Amino acid sequence: MTMRWIVPFKGRNNTGVYNQNFVWNDGHLYVMDNHRAAAWCWAQHVDPATSHALVHIDRHNDTLQSQLGSWLKALPNGTPATIEAYLAATYPMDFGGDGMLFRWDNYLSIYFALYARAVKHAYFATHGEGDKPNHAHVTQLDPVALLAFLTGALNQVRLPVVLNIDLDYFFGPTHDDVAERILDDVYFDQVASAIAALDRAGTFRVITIALTATDDLTAGWAPAEALATRLCNALGRNFTLP
């Protein structure tokens, strides 16, 4: 496997809704600061029109649907082929001008709208923040159920599996505008170990990890980077930012 920068590292800048400060890749593993790039990464390993399953571990649902019709009209050919075209894609806004198409809170609602028939199973471990997923068959998992699922039932899913993780799942309320951990290192390591075992067994066709390195969601770059490195180490990969 060869490590490469899909989007070269631009620095520990504000991520926000649209900024993409990096996308790092090693085989079928991708790490990024902004989750908006995830669906492009999936398309490099899974034909989105063929049957597959998706596991979404995230504080948020990432299924904003406020302008879904306009977003879909801007995608007549589905997911853009290159990362440059994907990140630069726009749509005409109702009040004039063009807006950036893919956001960190809508890439998954767009994916479901385009390919929901092919996503045979959708498993959501979230804190329920954001619009309800626009998919007819979603299995909701709380933290205890998520760990049981990763160590048990997921083995029985006989389809290519997309694993989508945002590290803000392990954080919760903010105090003085800084997020606090609500799921500790013991739990994190149990989840990481279960994911690594499944990956060694060939369960995951592609894995995407988002740092969401903001003070209010992961307490900033340092805590998010530390967790990303820890998870990648469990997966046998050496991820560090310059």
Side-chain angles (χ1 to χ4, degrees):
M1 289 175 284
T2 303
M3 294 180 289
R4 59 181 179 143
W5 295 98
I6 304 296
V7 175
F9 183 61
K10 300 175 183 177
R12 293 169 178 81
N13 307 308
N14 176 56
T15 295
V17 178
Y18 304 111
N19 292 343
Q20 195 77 55
N21 288 298
F22 77 93
V23 178
W24 177 93
N25 167 239
D26 187 354
H28 66 291
L29 172 66
Y30 296 80
V31 183
M32 62 201 72
D33 67 306
N34 191 328
H35 225 168
R36 70 186 289 252
W40 180 87
C41 301
W42 305 339
Q44 310 315 299
H45 300 267
V46 175
D47 179 350
T50 63
S51 297
H52 60 286
L54 186 144
V55 179
H56 179 65
I57 303 172
D58 194 317
R59 178 170 169 174
H60 309 86
N61 289 325
D62 293 357
T63 48
L64 180 71
Q65 297 155 54
S66 60
Q67 300 292 317
L68 188 56
S70 297
W71 299 333
L72 294 177
K73 286 180 181 179
L75 294 169
N77 300 313
T79 305
T82 68
I83 189 64
E84 292 81 8
Y86 179 97
L87 294 176
T90 61
Y91 75 100
M93 296 186 291
D94 292 341
F95 49 85
D98 292 332
M100 300 301 295
L101 178 53
F102 293 102
R103 305 159 45 112
W104 64 1
D105 55 4
N106 76 349
Y107 68 94
L108 188 47
S109 58
I110 293 171
Y111 189 83
F112 281 155
L114 290 171
Y115 309 117
R117 290 185 180 180
V119 183
K120 301 302 182 183
H121 304 285
Y123 303 94
F124 270 55
T126 73
H127 303 322
E129 297 186 22
D131 289 1
K132 182 179 178 180
N134 54 321
H135 191 283
H137 304 290
V138 173
T139 300
Q140 302 282 355
L141 303 167
D142 64 22
V144 173
L146 171 62
L147 189 56
F149 174 68
L150 292 173
T151 56
L154 186 52
N155 284 312
Q156 307 306 313
V157 176
R158 304 304 180 193
L159 291 169
V161 179
V162 172
L163 177 61
N164 189 44
I165 306 170
D166 192 326
L167 296 174
D168 66 4
Y169 177 75
F170 300 93
F171 293 79
T174 60
H175 294 277
D176 297 324
D177 298 322
V178 177
E180 294 186 349
R181 284 284 294 277
I182 59 171
L183 297 168
D184 62 17
D185 283 344
V186 172
Y187 179 83
F188 183 87
D189 288 342
Q190 289 174 326
V191 168
S193 178
I195 288 171
L198 289 165
D199 194 45
R200 289 192 297 270
T203 299
F204 301 122
R205 187 66 57 86
V206 58
I207 301 172
T208 46
I209 301 170
L211 272 65
T212 310
T214 67
D215 289 346
D216 60 327
L217 293 175
T218 58
W221 279 91
E225 285 182 59
L227 286 186
T229 298
R230 193 169 185 151
L231 179 52
C232 287
N233 285 344
L235 291 165
R237 314 296 177 84
N238 181 24
F239 167 75
T240 56
L241 291 176

